[in-house]
Amino acid sequence: MIRGISIGLLCSLAVIGSVEANTVESGTFQAHVLLVADSSAQPASEAGAIQLLNEMTQAMEKTDYAGTYVHLRGDQIDTTKLWHRATADGQQERLQTMSGEPREVIRHGNHCECAWPLRKEVVFGDFPGVRSRLSGERFEHPETLNANYHIVNLGSSRVADHACQLVGLVPRDQFRYGYKLCIGNESHLLLRMSIYSDQGRPIEHDFFTELHFRPQGDTTPTEAWPDIPMDTPQTIPPGYKVVERGQAQPAEPLTPEQGWIVSPELPGYSTKSRVWRTNPVTGHRFEHMIVSDGLSTASVFVEDMPQPKALNPDAAKYGMNITVRQVGPVRLTVIGDLPMAAVEQICKHTVPAKDANTERGERNPMLSPSQEAR
């Protein structure tokens, strides 16, 4: 391990394309990793790579495209058909699963309709997070990622018969994962994304297997490019049941003096939100914090739990790490798509807001209680 960046990470990030291409990509990536590891001045990212990320986030939002992509995470393999449209009212998408239980998701902006044909059920609600899939949103504002990732060009490759440019996001420490993207030369779409742990083990791969584009200016619905209606009687198949869900109570922000906070914060990470939420099943209130470096994100849950419960080993897997800590009657749970070292540090430094940055806080038993991790 060199300053938190493992050689294993270097090697695994290079396993894309042919053997010859892998050799070239590995050597290029190794040079950049050593540069990051050995430079006390923290080298700047490459302007061309940052520009590619900017072009990619714009293209993913504004291009009409359709295709099939594969998602691999651990031993989970999912195949999905996707139609994407850019409209005056925002993005529209239709996703159909081709493996596992049949499911269809229709998205209009931040709203979605999800149908399960075998159950004959449909749900309307907010569009679920898709940051782990082929989405450009997580790479918006790449300039802000430069403090935590060295963003570099890694040459060229090919995905779904489309030539593309490789971009690597090399973590500057052990508190975040590494990313390798392949961005289309002509379309600027994100054609493939791979995520690797701080030990260099592959966590997740997402890639298109076929992709085509709608001719510019062509808005006439066809079999290949159908309309994507949502939230109308016509979109609910006969015999389907609309699953009713109780109206969720809006989140209530905590004041700076209330509840718990992360102090000191993990280098490069900051708390994006602190709110009260209500469990829709039990009706119990709990605190929820979002901690992020702009790319990797963790959730911190603080709840009253006088009777400690063992950690469920299936609570997180395949890149999601989880740790819990019991402090008297309070249960702290941290779960996120970031390395265990980061998850443990966030949990360790979650303290009552009133005790933060005080002598009392430094003696707080939360800094050394029992802890479980998966």
Side-chain angles (χ1 to χ4, degrees):
M1 183 78 68
I2 306 175
R3 292 194 188 177
I5 302 175
S6 68
I7 295 300
L9 172 60
L10 156 66
C11 296
S12 292
L13 282 173
V15 270
I16 294 180
S18 66
V19 174
E20 180 180 0
N22 281 343
T23 303
V24 174
E25 292 171 17
S26 177
T28 303
F29 197 78
Q30 183 174 20
H32 288 295
V33 169
L34 295 177
L35 177 65
V36 173
D38 294 338
S39 174
S40 59
Q42 289 294 303
S45 294
E46 298 176 4
I50 293 178
Q51 179 61 27
L52 281 173
L53 290 182
N54 279 319
E55 293 172 350
M56 182 267 291
T57 57
Q58 291 293 315
M60 295 298 287
E61 177 183 352
K62 299 183 181 302
T63 305
D64 284 5
Y65 58 91
T68 303
Y69 72 86
V70 174
H71 168 74
L72 291 88
R73 198 166 191 168
D75 61 354
Q76 176 186 352
I77 304 175
D78 297 315
T79 304
T80 303
K81 282 189 174 182
L82 166 68
W83 293 262
H84 179 276
R85 290 187 58 192
T87 74
D89 297 322
Q91 299 183 70
Q92 295 182 2
E93 288 183 341
R94 181 183 181 189
L95 299 92
Q96 291 181 336
T97 61
M98 306 301 293
S99 53
E101 181 179 5
R103 181 167 61 99
E104 180 175 82
V105 177
I106 295 176
R107 172 192 181 187
H108 279 201
N110 293 325
H111 304 286
C112 77
E113 169 189 333
C114 187
W116 290 267
L118 296 183
R119 308 181 200 175
K120 293 191 178 299
E121 293 179 346
V122 62
V123 173
F124 295 98
D126 295 331
F127 187 60
V130 291
R131 292 169 59 84
S132 62
R133 301 296 191 265
L134 291 170
S135 168
E137 286 111 353
R138 65 187 307 175
F139 299 100
E140 287 181 334
H141 313 298
E143 298 84 357
T144 64
L145 301 176
N146 182 50
N148 300 311
Y149 302 87
H150 186 47
I151 305 173
V152 296
N153 288 295
L154 296 175
S156 60
S157 188
R158 190 163 62 102
V159 174
D161 203 26
H162 293 269
C164 53
Q165 294 296 311
L166 296 166
V167 175
L169 286 87
V170 184
R172 295 183 183 273
D173 57 32
Q174 73 273 28
F175 295 129
R176 53 209 96 236
Y177 289 142
Y179 295 80
K180 192 170 193 178
L181 316 179
C182 211
I183 300 172
N185 288 357
E186 297 183 3
S187 67
H188 302 303
L189 293 183
L190 177 57
L191 305 182
R192 178 174 57 209
M193 179 180 73
S194 298
I195 305 175
Y196 295 84
S197 74
D198 50 330
Q199 286 83 35
R201 298 189 181 95
I203 296 173
E204 178 178 318
H205 301 285
D206 294 272
F207 54 92
F208 280 103
T209 57
E210 60 95 13
L211 183 67
H212 56 277
F213 308 96
R214 190 173 193 174
Q216 289 188 353
D218 183 1
T219 59
T220 303
T222 65
E223 182 178 352
W225 297 99
D227 282 334
I228 308 177
M230 187 185 76
D231 205 9
T232 67
Q234 288 78 16
T235 67
I236 303 175
Y240 275 58
K241 174 185 176 183
V242 177
V243 178
E244 298 291 343
R245 289 188 173 181
Q247 184 66 32
Q249 297 184 11
E252 174 189 344
L254 285 92
T255 68
E257 298 78 20
Q258 287 181 316
W260 301 67
I261 64 173
V262 180
S263 178
E265 293 184 320
L266 193 65
Y269 287 85
S270 62
T271 302
K272 303 302 181 182
S273 67
R274 296 174 59 242
V275 297
W276 288 106
R277 295 192 183 277
T278 302
N279 186 315
V281 177
T282 65
H284 293 161
R285 292 219 310 171
F286 61 92
E287 297 177 38
H288 180 212
M289 284 184 280
I290 298 293
V291 179
S292 177
D293 71 349
L295 185 55
S296 299
T297 301
S299 282
V300 182
F301 302 95
V302 183
E303 54 188 330
D304 290 331
M305 189 176 292
Q307 299 298 324
K309 296 196 315 184
L311 179 64
N312 180 358
D314 293 326
K317 57 175 66 174
Y318 306 140
M320 299 291 286
N321 284 313
I322 183 172
T323 186
V324 300
R325 185 159 54 176
Q326 188 76 26
V327 184
V330 176
R331 172 84 157 188
L332 300 173
T333 304
V334 181
I335 182 170
D337 60 340
L338 54 164
M340 181 55 75
V343 170
E344 290 176 338
Q345 286 296 308
I346 292 171
C347 190
K348 176 181 179 181
H349 294 292
T350 299
V351 300
K354 60 184 177 62
D355 291 344
N357 302 318
T358 66
E359 184 180 355
R360 179 183 175 188
E362 292 172 359
R363 298 197 306 268
N364 193 290
M366 283 198 58
L367 298 183
S368 58
S370 62
Q371 183 169 310
E372 291 183 82
R374 292 289 188 275

